[in-house]
């Protein structure tokens, strides 16, 4: 399956910005869809954004639209999530995930993805 590794979590003040990066290693790059999820304590993972490797088509959850931007650098390869105007409710563990095939109507559901990174903590202070 290869491996995904999230980098660059951290702490930021409310209203600030942070860019997360997910490096894609080995056979994980055969996947067609790359996504970012977020998990609050005691809750299921929430899909935030997805990018399709070939055409670069993107999908966003309502909570991410207008604030988050997902992008892919095919040279590395890596998948970045630029997050703007962060609020305390954005605090959580952020995960990178990948899938080779999925059902588009369920593209933000974690069950569609079979390759996951270890997660990185993002904390937004009020």
């Amino acid at each position: 399956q290869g491996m995904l590794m999230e980098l660059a979590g951290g702490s930021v003040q409310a209203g600030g910005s942070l860019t997360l990066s997910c490096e894609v290693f080995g056979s994980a790059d055969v996947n067609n869809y790359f996504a970012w999820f977020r998990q609050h304590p005691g809750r299921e993972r929430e899909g935030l954004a997805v990018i399709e490797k070939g055409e670069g088509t993107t999908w966003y959850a309502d909570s991410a639209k207008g604030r988050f931007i997902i992008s892919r650098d095919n040279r590395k390869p890596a998948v970045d999530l630029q997050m703007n105007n962060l609020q305390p409710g954005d605090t959580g563990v952020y995960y990178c995930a990948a899938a080779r095939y999925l059902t588009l109507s369920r593209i933000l559901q974690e069950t569609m993805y079979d390759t996951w990174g270890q997660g990185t903590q993002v904390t937004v202070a009020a």
Side-chain angles (χ1 to χ4, degrees):
Q1 284 186 325
M3 188 174 70
L4 304 174
M5 181 177 293
E6 300 94 342
L7 304 173
S11 299
V12 65
Q13 294 293 117
S17 297
L18 194 64
T19 297
L20 304 180
S21 186
C22 171
E23 294 194 351
V24 182
F25 294 94
S27 59
D29 201 40
V30 303
N31 289 292
N32 297 311
Y33 299 89
F34 293 85
W36 281 96
F37 284 74
R38 173 175 66 201
Q39 188 169 30
H40 297 300
R43 298 179 64 177
E44 295 183 351
R45 289 172 180 163
E46 170 194 10
L48 297 173
V50 183
I51 187 166
E52 189 270 337
K53 184 172 70 173
E55 298 293 325
T57 305
T58 56
W59 295 261
Y60 292 94
D62 288 343
S63 59
K65 286 178 183 176
R67 296 192 303 134
F68 295 0
I69 300 171
I70 189 170
S71 61
R72 178 178 161 94
D73 184 343
N74 289 326
R75 297 167 299 175
K76 291 185 180 180
V79 179
D80 293 344
L81 184 69
Q82 179 182 336
M83 304 185 292
N84 302 309
N85 191 24
L86 285 163
Q87 300 300 319
D90 294 313
T91 294
V93 179
Y94 284 69
Y95 294 89
C96 180
R100 190 160 188 184
Y101 304 108
L102 48 70
T103 302
L104 288 180
S105 62
R106 299 166 60 190
I107 198 167
L108 291 172
Q109 295 182 19
E110 64 174 305
T111 54
M112 290 288 100
Y113 298 86
D114 56 10
T115 302
W116 292 84
Q118 80 286 356
T120 187
Q121 176 70 41
V122 172
T123 301
V124 184

